[in-house]
PDB file of all heavy atoms in Angstrom:
ATOM      1  N   ASP R  19       0.713   2.035  -1.056  1.00  0.00           N
ATOM      2  CA  ASP R  19       1.556   3.214  -1.113  1.00  0.00           C
ATOM      3  C   ASP R  19       0.861   4.257  -2.027  1.00  0.00           C
ATOM      4  O   ASP R  19       0.689   4.013  -3.186  1.00  0.00           O
ATOM      5  CB  ASP R  19       2.915   2.887  -1.688  1.00  0.00           C
ATOM      6  CG  ASP R  19       3.856   4.075  -1.586  1.00  0.00           C
ATOM      7  OD1 ASP R  19       3.394   5.206  -1.200  1.00  0.00           O
ATOM      8  OD2 ASP R  19       5.086   3.903  -1.863  1.00  0.00           O
ATOM      9  N   LEU R  20       0.288   5.265  -1.425  1.00  0.00           N
ATOM     10  CA  LEU R  20      -0.421   6.248  -2.164  1.00  0.00           C
ATOM     11  C   LEU R  20       0.352   7.457  -2.544  1.00  0.00           C
ATOM     12  O   LEU R  20      -0.173   8.496  -3.004  1.00  0.00           O
ATOM     13  CB  LEU R  20      -1.718   6.628  -1.446  1.00  0.00           C
ATOM     14  CG  LEU R  20      -2.686   5.444  -1.218  1.00  0.00           C
ATOM     15  CD1 LEU R  20      -3.858   5.895  -0.302  1.00  0.00           C
ATOM     16  CD2 LEU R  20      -3.189   4.892  -2.484  1.00  0.00           C
ATOM     17  N   LEU R  87      -1.521   5.841 -12.057  1.00  0.00           N
ATOM     18  CA  LEU R  87      -1.028   7.118 -11.446  1.00  0.00           C
ATOM     19  C   LEU R  87      -0.905   8.221 -12.431  1.00  0.00           C
ATOM     20  O   LEU R  87      -1.254   9.349 -12.206  1.00  0.00           O
ATOM     21  CB  LEU R  87       0.311   6.855 -10.816  1.00  0.00           C
ATOM     22  CG  LEU R  87       0.407   6.651  -9.315  1.00  0.00           C
ATOM     23  CD1 LEU R  87       1.833   6.732  -8.829  1.00  0.00           C
ATOM     24  CD2 LEU R  87      -0.384   7.767  -8.669  1.00  0.00           C
ATOM     25  N   ARG R 293     -25.068  18.816   8.439  1.00  0.00           N
ATOM     26  CA  ARG R 293     -23.720  18.370   8.578  1.00  0.00           C
ATOM     27  C   ARG R 293     -23.664  16.883   8.757  1.00  0.00           C
ATOM     28  O   ARG R 293     -22.799  16.214   8.161  1.00  0.00           O
ATOM     29  CB  ARG R 293     -23.033  19.076   9.799  1.00  0.00           C
ATOM     30  CG  ARG R 293     -22.783  20.548   9.511  1.00  0.00           C
ATOM     31  CD  ARG R 293     -22.542  21.325  10.862  1.00  0.00           C
ATOM     32  NE  ARG R 293     -21.214  21.115  11.433  1.00  0.00           N
ATOM     33  CZ  ARG R 293     -20.143  21.835  11.102  1.00  0.00           C
ATOM     34  NH1 ARG R 293     -20.266  22.737  10.149  1.00  0.00           N
ATOM     35  NH2 ARG R 293     -19.060  21.638  11.689  1.00  0.00           N
ATOM     36  N   GLN R 294     -24.566  16.364   9.594  1.00  0.00           N
ATOM     37  CA  GLN R 294     -24.610  14.878   9.773  1.00  0.00           C
ATOM     38  C   GLN R 294     -24.834  14.177   8.526  1.00  0.00           C
ATOM     39  O   GLN R 294     -24.238  13.158   8.184  1.00  0.00           O
ATOM     40  CB  GLN R 294     -25.699  14.533  10.834  1.00  0.00           C
ATOM     41  CG  GLN R 294     -25.293  14.770  12.222  1.00  0.00           C
ATOM     42  CD  GLN R 294     -24.174  13.849  12.754  1.00  0.00           C
ATOM     43  OE1 GLN R 294     -24.250  12.660  12.551  1.00  0.00           O
ATOM     44  NE2 GLN R 294     -23.223  14.420  13.433  1.00  0.00           N
ATOM     45  N   GLU R 300     -20.461  11.387   2.984  1.00  0.00           N
ATOM     46  CA  GLU R 300     -18.997  11.304   2.629  1.00  0.00           C
ATOM     47  C   GLU R 300     -18.421   9.939   2.914  1.00  0.00           C
ATOM     48  O   GLU R 300     -17.567   9.531   2.205  1.00  0.00           O
ATOM     49  CB  GLU R 300     -18.263  12.380   3.392  1.00  0.00           C
ATOM     50  CG  GLU R 300     -16.836  12.413   2.956  1.00  0.00           C
ATOM     51  CD  GLU R 300     -16.001  13.589   3.413  1.00  0.00           C
ATOM     52  OE1 GLU R 300     -16.602  14.422   4.169  1.00  0.00           O
ATOM     53  OE2 GLU R 300     -14.848  13.622   2.986  1.00  0.00           O
ATOM     54  N   TYR R 302     -19.899   7.127   2.250  1.00  0.00           N
ATOM     55  CA  TYR R 302     -20.200   6.339   1.018  1.00  0.00           C
ATOM     56  C   TYR R 302     -19.297   6.818  -0.093  1.00  0.00           C
ATOM     57  O   TYR R 302     -18.745   6.068  -0.879  1.00  0.00           O
ATOM     58  CB  TYR R 302     -21.653   6.522   0.600  1.00  0.00           C
ATOM     59  CG  TYR R 302     -22.571   5.744   1.392  1.00  0.00           C
ATOM     60  CD1 TYR R 302     -23.342   6.342   2.450  1.00  0.00           C
ATOM     61  CD2 TYR R 302     -22.755   4.391   1.241  1.00  0.00           C
ATOM     62  CE1 TYR R 302     -24.239   5.604   3.223  1.00  0.00           C
ATOM     63  CE2 TYR R 302     -23.674   3.640   1.958  1.00  0.00           C
ATOM     64  CZ  TYR R 302     -24.381   4.255   3.010  1.00  0.00           C
ATOM     65  OH  TYR R 302     -25.266   3.449   3.777  1.00  0.00           O
ATOM     66  N   ARG R 395     -29.040  -5.976  -8.586  1.00  0.00           N
ATOM     67  CA  ARG R 395     -29.142  -6.807  -7.371  1.00  0.00           C
ATOM     68  C   ARG R 395     -29.064  -8.335  -7.709  1.00  0.00           C
ATOM     69  O   ARG R 395     -28.464  -9.112  -7.121  1.00  0.00           O
ATOM     70  CB  ARG R 395     -30.326  -6.487  -6.539  1.00  0.00           C
ATOM     71  CG  ARG R 395     -30.284  -5.124  -5.959  1.00  0.00           C
ATOM     72  CD  ARG R 395     -31.469  -4.793  -5.062  1.00  0.00           C
ATOM     73  NE  ARG R 395     -31.249  -3.445  -4.503  1.00  0.00           N
ATOM     74  CZ  ARG R 395     -31.849  -2.311  -4.918  1.00  0.00           C
ATOM     75  NH1 ARG R 395     -32.683  -2.367  -5.962  1.00  0.00           N
ATOM     76  NH2 ARG R 395     -31.617  -1.152  -4.357  1.00  0.00           N
ATOM     77  N   ASN R 396     -29.789  -8.647  -8.796  1.00  0.00           N
ATOM     78  CA  ASN R 396     -29.795 -10.010  -9.297  1.00  0.00           C
ATOM     79  C   ASN R 396     -28.370 -10.489  -9.648  1.00  0.00           C
ATOM     80  O   ASN R 396     -27.923 -11.530  -9.289  1.00  0.00           O
ATOM     81  CB  ASN R 396     -30.684 -10.232 -10.501  1.00  0.00           C
ATOM     82  CG  ASN R 396     -32.098 -10.382 -10.200  1.00  0.00           C
ATOM     83  OD1 ASN R 396     -32.477 -10.403  -9.021  1.00  0.00           O
ATOM     84  ND2 ASN R 396     -32.950 -10.428 -11.180  1.00  0.00           N
ATOM     85  N   GLU R 400     -26.440 -13.371  -7.826  1.00  0.00           N
ATOM     86  CA  GLU R 400     -26.193 -14.615  -8.572  1.00  0.00           C
ATOM     87  C   GLU R 400     -24.745 -14.827  -8.913  1.00  0.00           C
ATOM     88  O   GLU R 400     -24.098 -15.894  -8.655  1.00  0.00           O
ATOM     89  CB  GLU R 400     -27.058 -14.606  -9.872  1.00  0.00           C
ATOM     90  CG  GLU R 400     -28.526 -14.669  -9.500  1.00  0.00           C
ATOM     91  CD  GLU R 400     -29.409 -14.352 -10.671  1.00  0.00           C
ATOM     92  OE1 GLU R 400     -28.912 -14.280 -11.848  1.00  0.00           O
ATOM     93  OE2 GLU R 400     -30.645 -14.169 -10.466  1.00  0.00           O
ATOM     94  N   ASP R 408     -33.036 -16.494 -10.937  1.00  0.00           N
ATOM     95  CA  ASP R 408     -34.482 -16.312 -10.790  1.00  0.00           C
ATOM     96  C   ASP R 408     -35.243 -17.410 -11.559  1.00  0.00           C
ATOM     97  O   ASP R 408     -34.858 -17.841 -12.645  1.00  0.00           O
ATOM     98  CB  ASP R 408     -34.856 -14.980 -11.476  1.00  0.00           C
ATOM     99  CG  ASP R 408     -34.907 -13.926 -10.446  1.00  0.00           C
ATOM    100  OD1 ASP R 408     -34.499 -14.168  -9.288  1.00  0.00           O
ATOM    101  OD2 ASP R 408     -35.244 -12.795 -10.805  1.00  0.00           O
TER     102      ASP R 408
ATOM    103  N   MET J  21       1.433   4.388  -7.476  1.00  0.00           N
ATOM    104  CA  MET J  21       0.394   4.218  -6.492  1.00  0.00           C
ATOM    105  C   MET J  21      -0.093   2.760  -6.422  1.00  0.00           C
ATOM    106  O   MET J  21      -0.256   2.165  -7.409  1.00  0.00           O
ATOM    107  CB  MET J  21      -0.818   5.118  -6.847  1.00  0.00           C
ATOM    108  CG  MET J  21      -1.896   5.075  -5.740  1.00  0.00           C
ATOM    109  SD  MET J  21      -3.452   5.864  -6.310  1.00  0.00           S
ATOM    110  CE  MET J  21      -4.048   4.755  -7.508  1.00  0.00           C
ATOM    111  N   ASP J  22      -0.266   2.309  -5.199  1.00  0.00           N
ATOM    112  CA  ASP J  22      -0.671   0.944  -5.075  1.00  0.00           C
ATOM    113  C   ASP J  22      -1.554   0.874  -3.825  1.00  0.00           C
ATOM    114  O   ASP J  22      -1.214   1.290  -2.709  1.00  0.00           O
ATOM    115  CB  ASP J  22       0.614   0.107  -4.726  1.00  0.00           C
ATOM    116  CG  ASP J  22       0.215  -1.374  -4.648  1.00  0.00           C
ATOM    117  OD1 ASP J  22      -0.061  -1.773  -3.515  1.00  0.00           O
ATOM    118  OD2 ASP J  22       0.287  -2.079  -5.677  1.00  0.00           O
ATOM    119  N   GLN J 278     -36.514 -13.647  -4.572  1.00  0.00           N
ATOM    120  CA  GLN J 278     -35.892 -12.386  -4.904  1.00  0.00           C
ATOM    121  C   GLN J 278     -35.846 -11.436  -3.650  1.00  0.00           C
ATOM    122  O   GLN J 278     -34.903 -10.630  -3.507  1.00  0.00           O
ATOM    123  CB  GLN J 278     -36.589 -11.669  -6.066  1.00  0.00           C
ATOM    124  CG  GLN J 278     -35.651 -10.855  -6.861  1.00  0.00           C
ATOM    125  CD  GLN J 278     -36.257 -10.455  -8.172  1.00  0.00           C
ATOM    126  OE1 GLN J 278     -37.467 -10.045  -8.205  1.00  0.00           O
ATOM    127  NE2 GLN J 278     -35.532 -10.442  -9.258  1.00  0.00           N
ATOM    128  N   LYS J 281     -32.752 -12.570  -1.997  1.00  0.00           N
ATOM    129  CA  LYS J 281     -31.577 -12.282  -2.819  1.00  0.00           C
ATOM    130  C   LYS J 281     -31.250 -10.849  -2.796  1.00  0.00           C
ATOM    131  O   LYS J 281     -30.053 -10.384  -2.648  1.00  0.00           O
ATOM    132  CB  LYS J 281     -31.851 -12.628  -4.282  1.00  0.00           C
ATOM    133  CG  LYS J 281     -31.536 -14.102  -4.585  1.00  0.00           C
ATOM    134  CD  LYS J 281     -32.082 -14.488  -5.931  1.00  0.00           C
ATOM    135  CE  LYS J 281     -31.423 -13.878  -7.098  1.00  0.00           C
ATOM    136  NZ  LYS J 281     -31.846 -14.516  -8.361  1.00  0.00           N
ATOM    137  N   HIS J 282     -32.290  -9.954  -2.977  1.00  0.00           N
ATOM    138  CA  HIS J 282     -32.032  -8.551  -3.062  1.00  0.00           C
ATOM    139  C   HIS J 282     -31.530  -7.978  -1.721  1.00  0.00           C
ATOM    140  O   HIS J 282     -30.733  -7.063  -1.717  1.00  0.00           O
ATOM    141  CB  HIS J 282     -33.253  -7.831  -3.516  1.00  0.00           C
ATOM    142  CG  HIS J 282     -33.462  -7.975  -5.037  1.00  0.00           C
ATOM    143  ND1 HIS J 282     -34.285  -7.212  -5.822  1.00  0.00           N
ATOM    144  CD2 HIS J 282     -32.805  -8.780  -5.934  1.00  0.00           C
ATOM    145  CE1 HIS J 282     -34.224  -7.564  -7.077  1.00  0.00           C
ATOM    146  NE2 HIS J 282     -33.339  -8.512  -7.188  1.00  0.00           N
ATOM    147  N   ASP J 286     -28.100  -6.051  -1.278  1.00  0.00           N
ATOM    148  CA  ASP J 286     -28.027  -4.761  -0.633  1.00  0.00           C
ATOM    149  C   ASP J 286     -27.000  -4.781   0.523  1.00  0.00           C
ATOM    150  O   ASP J 286     -26.296  -3.838   0.703  1.00  0.00           O
ATOM    151  CB  ASP J 286     -29.384  -4.311  -0.164  1.00  0.00           C
ATOM    152  CG  ASP J 286     -30.270  -3.817  -1.274  1.00  0.00           C
ATOM    153  OD1 ASP J 286     -29.702  -3.386  -2.339  1.00  0.00           O
ATOM    154  OD2 ASP J 286     -31.499  -3.893  -1.171  1.00  0.00           O
ATOM    155  N   GLU J 290     -23.546  -2.453   0.737  1.00  0.00           N
ATOM    156  CA  GLU J 290     -23.188  -1.651   1.866  1.00  0.00           C
ATOM    157  C   GLU J 290     -21.851  -1.955   2.445  1.00  0.00           C
ATOM    158  O   GLU J 290     -21.096  -1.087   2.917  1.00  0.00           O
ATOM    159  CB  GLU J 290     -24.267  -1.788   2.955  1.00  0.00           C
ATOM    160  CG  GLU J 290     -25.646  -1.217   2.581  1.00  0.00           C
ATOM    161  CD  GLU J 290     -25.645   0.276   2.658  1.00  0.00           C
ATOM    162  OE1 GLU J 290     -25.438   0.853   3.772  1.00  0.00           O
ATOM    163  OE2 GLU J 290     -25.867   0.866   1.669  1.00  0.00           O
ATOM    164  N   TYR J 303      -3.700   3.488   6.741  1.00  0.00           N
ATOM    165  CA  TYR J 303      -2.608   3.954   5.911  1.00  0.00           C
ATOM    166  C   TYR J 303      -2.307   5.434   6.291  1.00  0.00           C
ATOM    167  O   TYR J 303      -1.068   5.834   6.453  1.00  0.00           O
ATOM    168  CB  TYR J 303      -2.858   3.885   4.456  1.00  0.00           C
ATOM    169  CG  TYR J 303      -1.811   4.471   3.546  1.00  0.00           C
ATOM    170  CD1 TYR J 303      -0.633   3.761   3.307  1.00  0.00           C
ATOM    171  CD2 TYR J 303      -1.996   5.729   2.964  1.00  0.00           C
ATOM    172  CE1 TYR J 303       0.359   4.290   2.533  1.00  0.00           C
ATOM    173  CE2 TYR J 303      -0.980   6.294   2.138  1.00  0.00           C
ATOM    174  CZ  TYR J 303       0.172   5.523   1.913  1.00  0.00           C
ATOM    175  OH  TYR J 303       1.137   6.118   1.158  1.00  0.00           O
ATOM    176  N   ARG J 314      -9.189  12.837  10.248  1.00  0.00           N
ATOM    177  CA  ARG J 314     -10.434  12.879   9.524  1.00  0.00           C
ATOM    178  C   ARG J 314     -10.775  11.518   8.919  1.00  0.00           C
ATOM    179  O   ARG J 314     -11.858  11.017   9.000  1.00  0.00           O
ATOM    180  CB  ARG J 314     -10.438  13.942   8.460  1.00  0.00           C
ATOM    181  CG  ARG J 314     -11.804  14.234   7.862  1.00  0.00           C
ATOM    182  CD  ARG J 314     -11.817  15.684   7.208  1.00  0.00           C
ATOM    183  NE  ARG J 314     -13.234  15.973   6.940  1.00  0.00           N
ATOM    184  CZ  ARG J 314     -13.872  15.791   5.797  1.00  0.00           C
ATOM    185  NH1 ARG J 314     -13.197  15.183   4.812  1.00  0.00           N
ATOM    186  NH2 ARG J 314     -15.105  16.067   5.639  1.00  0.00           N
ATOM    187  N   ALA J 367     -22.366   9.631  15.228  1.00  0.00           N
ATOM    188  CA  ALA J 367     -22.693  11.118  15.097  1.00  0.00           C
ATOM    189  C   ALA J 367     -21.621  11.992  15.613  1.00  0.00           C
ATOM    190  O   ALA J 367     -21.317  13.018  15.005  1.00  0.00           O
ATOM    191  CB  ALA J 367     -23.980  11.349  15.918  1.00  0.00           C
ATOM    192  N   TRP J 379     -16.203  22.596   7.019  1.00  0.00           N
ATOM    193  CA  TRP J 379     -17.624  22.913   6.600  1.00  0.00           C
ATOM    194  C   TRP J 379     -18.170  24.018   7.541  1.00  0.00           C
ATOM    195  O   TRP J 379     -18.490  23.732   8.732  1.00  0.00           O
ATOM    196  CB  TRP J 379     -18.524  21.633   6.681  1.00  0.00           C
ATOM    197  CG  TRP J 379     -18.045  20.635   5.620  1.00  0.00           C
ATOM    198  CD1 TRP J 379     -17.206  20.726   4.677  1.00  0.00           C
ATOM    199  CD2 TRP J 379     -18.579  19.244   5.584  1.00  0.00           C
ATOM    200  NE1 TRP J 379     -17.079  19.597   3.930  1.00  0.00           N
ATOM    201  CE2 TRP J 379     -17.955  18.649   4.508  1.00  0.00           C
ATOM    202  CE3 TRP J 379     -19.523  18.535   6.327  1.00  0.00           C
ATOM    203  CZ2 TRP J 379     -18.113  17.345   4.120  1.00  0.00           C
ATOM    204  CZ3 TRP J 379     -19.742  17.259   5.932  1.00  0.00           C
ATOM    205  CH2 TRP J 379     -19.122  16.657   4.881  1.00  0.00           C
TER     206      TRP J 379
END
Side-chain angles (χ1 to χ4, degrees):
Chain R
D19 188 353
L20 297 174
L87 257 193
R293 290 161 77 84
Q294 283 291 316
E300 185 168 3
Y302 285 100
R395 292 184 178 99
N396 279 356
E400 292 167 11
D408 269 5
Chain J
M21 183 189 71
D22 182 274
Q278 212 169 39
K281 274 167 69 171
H282 282 194
D286 284 335
E290 291 285 297
Y303 176 77
R314 191 159 194 265
W379 294 350

